[in-house]
Amino acid sequence: MSKHDEVMGDKITINNSAIGAVGSGAVNYGNVTSSPENYDYNLMREEIITLKNAIQSQPQSDAQILALSTIIQAEEGASTQNGTIMISALRKLSPWVFNVARDIGVNVIANFIGK
């Protein structure tokens, strides 16, 4: 666009961004990512294992068994350094799992639970 061009309506300039929707009436219905995240997979895996052990030590209910299955998916994602799988699994966990994570001090993964 040159300095002599006439702009009618909104002028939008975007540089180096992962914008999912732009302009009047634009809508984005999902997450947009432009580059892989840099996770500390070793730390994340350690915290996931600590959470898994804490959940396993509690009396088992159906909700706990389902949570364990999801935590195991997150652990596999961390083990294979697949952030998409790891974070997707952590975000599926319910608020009571967040409370357990916070109570046992696994704060890195607690930040991803339930988002």
Side-chain angles (χ1 to χ4, degrees):
M1 182 172 201
S2 74
K3 65 181 180 179
H4 300 292
D5 288 343
E6 186 174 333
V7 175
M8 300 186 80
D10 297 336
K11 178 182 177 190
I12 301 170
T13 303
I14 300 171
N15 295 312
N16 301 322
S17 181
I19 302 297
V22 177
S24 179
V27 178
N28 175 25
Y29 292 102
N31 292 331
V32 176
T33 57
S34 62
S35 63
E37 297 288 335
N38 292 320
Y39 299 112
D40 183 343
Y41 289 103
N42 291 328
L43 173 64
M44 300 283 284
R45 185 173 177 273
E46 288 174 20
E47 288 198 358
I48 290 168
I49 290 171
T50 301
L51 178 61
K52 180 176 73 172
N53 291 338
I55 301 287
Q56 283 177 328
S57 69
Q58 298 179 358
Q60 297 299 300
S61 68
D62 290 344
Q64 288 166 317
I65 292 168
L66 290 172
L68 281 171
S69 174
T70 305
I71 291 167
I72 290 168
Q73 289 174 0
E75 181 182 0
E76 289 172 2
S79 295
T80 60
Q81 297 191 356
N82 187 326
T84 302
I85 290 173
M86 178 181 68
I87 299 304
S88 175
L90 290 173
R91 288 183 176 157
K92 292 177 187 175
L93 293 167
S94 62
W96 71 266
V97 178
F98 168 79
N99 291 333
V100 171
R102 189 187 57 203
D103 291 346
I104 64 172
V106 290
N107 298 318
V108 173
I109 64 165
N111 287 326
F112 292 100
I113 295 174
K115 283 191 175 184

